[in-house]
Amino acid sequence: MMVGAAALLSACQVRPLYSEAAGTGAKLADIAFTPADDRVEQVVRNRLIFLTSGGEGEPRLPQYQVALNVVAAYSDILDDEDAVGLQPGRVVVTGTYTLTRIKDASVLKTGSRRVTALLDVSSQEFAELRAVRDAEERAGRELAEFIRADLAIALAEEPQPQVTWQK
């Protein structure tokens, strides 16, 4: 009985869902991203390029294209003009994206993700601007992580192209 169970379990493999065996890493490296329109979108775009290529940059001949749109919004959590000291605030960064296969222009995935970063805002103007900018960058980097995971899932489901050999 134990020998049979050991034989069955020896055939099991544990490996990452988006492993190299599935080709997901190579597919992620074949993604090109649309140019950014503003600073926060550039933060997300740069992080996505790093996450998908492993630091190699965008591909010369991409197989996939991601149209990316990122919007950041800052708001005070409490509106207390008489308060002294730090006031809580929030930055919400929302990214929408469309993953398209370039060769046939078919849309593989569309989605939207939202990340919230909390911050403490000083009454000093420059400190407030810097705190908001730092929160936008934190949220942008986190947003890129979520979008990369979505892209990996979509590309893992994409069938591998069949290679045929001709004589």
Side-chain angles (χ1 to χ4, degrees):
M1 177 86 167
M2 293 297 279
V3 173
L8 283 174
L9 289 176
S10 68
C12 294
Q13 294 181 0
V14 177
R15 60 184 166 169
L17 178 61
Y18 314 118
S19 68
E20 290 302 316
T24 307
K27 290 178 185 177
L28 284 170
D30 279 340
I31 296 176
F33 296 91
T34 55
D37 295 329
D38 64 10
R39 188 187 59 76
V40 179
E41 189 168 294
Q42 187 68 48
V43 167
V44 175
R45 182 181 186 276
N46 288 348
R47 185 68 182 158
L48 278 169
I49 290 171
F50 179 79
L51 291 171
T52 57
S53 73
E56 298 294 321
E58 287 190 279
R60 293 180 193 257
L61 298 170
Q63 304 299 312
Y64 305 97
Q65 172 83 29
V66 171
L68 184 64
N69 184 32
V70 177
V71 177
Y74 165 71
S75 63
D76 291 321
I77 293 177
L78 300 174
D79 286 330
D80 187 2
E81 295 177 12
D82 297 328
V84 177
L86 299 176
Q87 293 294 308
R90 139 183 33 187
V91 170
V92 178
V93 178
T94 305
T96 56
Y97 61 91
T98 302
L99 173 64
T100 307
R101 188 182 316 115
I102 292 176
K103 69 179 177 181
D104 59 3
S106 62
V107 174
L108 303 177
K109 172 110 176 117
T110 60
S112 179
R113 289 292 191 151
R114 178 182 308 198
V115 174
T116 302
L118 300 176
L119 65 146
D120 290 326
V121 180
S122 171
S123 59
Q124 297 175 344
E125 184 177 353
F126 179 76
E128 177 181 2
L129 292 173
R130 189 67 229 187
V132 170
R133 184 174 180 162
D134 289 347
E136 288 172 344
E137 290 182 12
R138 279 195 328 266
R141 287 191 305 270
E142 188 174 348
L143 178 66
E145 299 276 348
F146 288 137
I147 292 174
R148 185 235 178 247
D150 288 349
L151 297 175
I153 291 168
L155 292 175
E157 296 169 355
E158 172 86 353
Q160 285 281 65
Q162 297 297 321
V163 177
T164 58
W165 296 95
Q166 296 180 353
K167 293 184 179 182

